[in-house]
Each structure stands twice: as C-alpha cells, then as structure tokens.
C-alpha cells in the first residue's frame, strides 16, 4: 500500500548537542499528534545516526542516512557502506540528491549502484530526481526525470522496485524559497507514476510513494500534499525546527 511519508533531510547542519535537542523537541511534538497520518523519517548527518536510532525506539519516527557508498566494503577511505547502515538498524537512505549529483559527481549509474547496495542490505532507498531551472525553461523536465529514473532504477525487478521511494525535487526549488506550484508537482508526480506503470504495471505504480521536495514548508505543505499523486515530502530547511517539521507532518487531510 502506498504510504504517506515526511522525511527530514538535515543536510550538513547541527552540532551534536543541537541535534540532540532537535530530536527531543520533535519527540515532544510527535507525542502531541493524536492521529499521525504519515510515516516520519529523520535523515541526520552520519555522526548522529546512532543517537537518532536509539531515540527512535521511544518515538514514532524511523531513521535514514543521507548517502551511502556504491561499494560493498574495503579500501574506500571516508566512505560508509550499506552494511554499516544496516548494522545500525537504519531503514532508509537518500540517494541521488541534487547536491550530491552537482558537487560529488553522482551520476545515474552511481545512483543505480548505491540502490543495489541498499537493497542488498534491506534498506529502502529514497531516490531523488528533478530538473534544473534551464531544463524546465526548455520544457525538458519530463525527459530529464524519465532518464534519471530509468537509468537509476529500471534495472530492478518489480519486487526490488517495491522497496523504492521516489522524491521529486526540482533543483530550482531546493533551498531557494521558490516552491513548485501544486499543479506543477501533481503534473510531474503523475508523470513519474505513469512511467513506473509502463515499466512495472499498475499495482507497483499505485503502491509507490512519491514525495515532493523543494522549499516545502509549514505554509505550503497542505496544498502540495492534497494532490492525488503527492504522497508527502522530503524536507530540507524546514526539518531543522521541530515545530515547523511537525506542522508539515500534520498537513495530510
Ligand atoms: C532537500 O534538500 O531535499 C530539500 C528539499 O531542501 P529544502 O526543503 O530546504 O528546499
């Protein structure tokens, strides 16, 4: 069944004591929500993963990493393997974020390798896709997203694909305060679902959660999440304040 999901991508923010405070505040906020309509996932920086998995035992959130190595193990100084994440009890990991694509040369082929490592370790990949501004201005957004998704994911079989969460994040909307309109989000999410249907059939497509990311906040989340193909959000800046993040979590009708 398709799930509503709100995932917080903390990116490279917070010192340890601040991270601790944020998780505690968020736990207080989650405690006060009577009818939680979404799965909540926190994606803190690597050093705080264990703090979060420990605290998740007493709360209503799951934990994900922000990246993983495409390699299994060995001489890759500084890298973190999917098996290490699994050993910490993580259920999710973001891959293909536009910041990793732009600053760390993460290609669709690399994303495909990372996805395979995660699936082999029973971790659900949250796979990001999305066009840059010049591609949208040239009306190429559908071609770009189709290529990202097919090259990074369509090598999977249907069972494997069933573990994937997609995050559509138009790059021009990330951290810019410029959100896609609800119509633009719905149009792209419906397109993504249609190409999943072409590849894997209606059941897999219907069951895939497709999140929106890009300056989603406490004010615009309700309008975005009200769309039939928008199943929640991947939230950057607004996940760094517990109250704002909690407001997004309760934005489902
Ligand atoms: C993100 O980095 O995934 C993101 C959506 O960031 P922001 O919400 O800050 O635009």
């Amino acid at each position: 069944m398709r799930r509503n999901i709100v995932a917080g991508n903390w990116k490279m923010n917070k010192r340890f004591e601040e991270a601790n405070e944020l998780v505690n505040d968020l736990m207080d906020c989650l405690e006060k929500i009577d009818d939680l309509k979404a799965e909540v996932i926190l994606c803190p920086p690597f050093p705080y993963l264990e703090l979060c998995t420990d605290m998740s035992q007493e709360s209503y959130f799951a934990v994900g990493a922000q990246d993983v190595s495409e390699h299994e193990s060995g001489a890759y100084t500084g890298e973190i393997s999917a098996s290490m994440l699994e050993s910490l009890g993580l259920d999710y990991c973001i891959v293909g974020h536009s910041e990793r694509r732009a600053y760390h040369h993460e290609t669709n082929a690399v994303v495909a390798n990372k996805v395979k490592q995660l699936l082999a370790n029973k971790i659900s990949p949250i796979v990001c896709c999305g066009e840059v501004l010049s591609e949208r201005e040239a009306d190429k957004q559908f071609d770009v997203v189709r290529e990202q998704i097919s090259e990074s994911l369509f090598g999977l079989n249907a069972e494997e694909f069933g573990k994937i969460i997609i995050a559509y994040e138009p790059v021009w909307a990330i951290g810019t305060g410029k959100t896609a309109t609800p119509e633009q989000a719905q149009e792209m999410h419906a397109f993504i679902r249609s190409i999943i249907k072409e590849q894997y059939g209606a059941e897999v497509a219907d069951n895939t959660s497709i999140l929106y990311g890009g300056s989603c906040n406490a004010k615009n989340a309700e309008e975005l999440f009200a769309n039939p193909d928008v199943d929640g959000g991947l939230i950057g800046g607004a996940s760094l304040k517990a109250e704002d993040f909690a407001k997004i979590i309760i934005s489902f009708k």
Side-chain angles (χ1 to χ4, degrees):
M1 245 256 306
R2 194 194 305 181
R3 294 164 294 147
N4 291 333
I5 296 171
V6 177
N9 174 15
W10 293 7
K11 308 195 190 193
M12 195 174 73
N13 289 296
K14 306 279 178 195
R15 288 170 54 83
F16 183 83
E17 60 280 9
E18 296 167 333
N20 193 18
E21 194 182 325
L22 177 55
V23 190
N24 273 297
D25 290 350
L26 185 67
M27 282 169 74
D28 290 346
C29 291
L30 289 174
E31 208 53 59
K32 290 183 198 134
I33 301 174
D34 292 333
D35 182 17
L36 191 57
K37 293 203 175 108
E39 188 170 338
V40 178
I41 306 171
L42 300 190
C43 301
F46 288 123
Y48 312 145
L49 284 172
E50 207 176 348
L51 165 81
C52 290
T53 51
D54 283 352
M55 292 171 98
S56 72
Q57 307 296 319
E58 291 155 43
S59 187
Y60 305 99
F61 64 86
V63 185
Q66 296 175 16
D67 187 33
V68 68
S69 173
E70 63 174 315
H71 304 289
E72 194 177 324
S73 66
Y76 299 101
T77 301
E79 291 282 273
I80 307 281
S81 72
S83 158
M84 292 173 190
L85 299 180
E86 193 272 336
S87 71
L88 289 179
L90 296 205
D91 295 314
Y92 298 97
C93 181
I94 298 169
V95 284
H97 192 280
S98 61
E99 287 150 17
R100 296 218 60 91
R101 290 178 189 267
Y103 311 139
H104 302 275
H105 316 293
E106 195 157 307
T107 61
N108 294 331
V110 171
V111 175
N113 291 340
K114 292 185 174 190
V115 165
K116 281 195 198 122
Q117 291 296 335
L118 291 169
L119 291 176
N121 284 281
K122 300 193 168 37
I123 296 173
S124 279
I126 302 173
V127 182
C128 303
C129 58
E131 77 287 356
V132 299
L133 186 59
S134 58
E135 291 164 339
R136 179 158 282 265
E137 283 171 349
D139 206 22
K140 295 225 167 75
Q141 64 274 24
F142 298 110
D143 295 340
V144 170
V145 168
R146 182 194 285 275
E147 189 171 296
Q148 288 171 333
I149 291 182
S150 61
E151 289 185 4
S152 56
L153 294 175
F154 284 176
L156 302 175
N157 63 35
E159 195 191 337
E160 290 167 333
F161 192 89
K163 310 268 180 346
I164 302 292
I165 297 163
I166 306 263
Y168 168 58
E169 302 206 299
V171 182
W172 47 270
I174 296 182
T176 57
K178 201 173 167 193
T179 320
T181 63
E183 294 74 26
Q184 286 171 322
Q186 169 57 25
E187 185 184 33
M188 182 58 86
H189 285 226
F191 172 76
I192 293 170
R193 208 175 296 286
S194 76
I195 61 174
I196 298 171
K197 186 174 169 192
E198 269 166 38
Q199 184 73 15
Y200 295 105
E203 198 182 334
V204 173
D206 280 349
N207 286 339
T208 304
S209 294
I210 307 177
L211 316 183
Y212 169 79
S215 298
C216 181
N217 58 40
K219 292 208 177 95
N220 58 29
E222 193 173 318
E223 226 188 337
L224 286 160
F225 297 173
N227 289 285
D229 288 295
V230 179
D231 308 309
L234 177 56
I235 317 296
S239 71
L240 295 171
K241 285 199 186 129
E243 279 185 15
D244 288 353
F245 192 53
K247 280 189 195 142
I248 297 172
I249 293 164
I250 56 165
S251 294
F252 294 90
K253 285 264 165 63

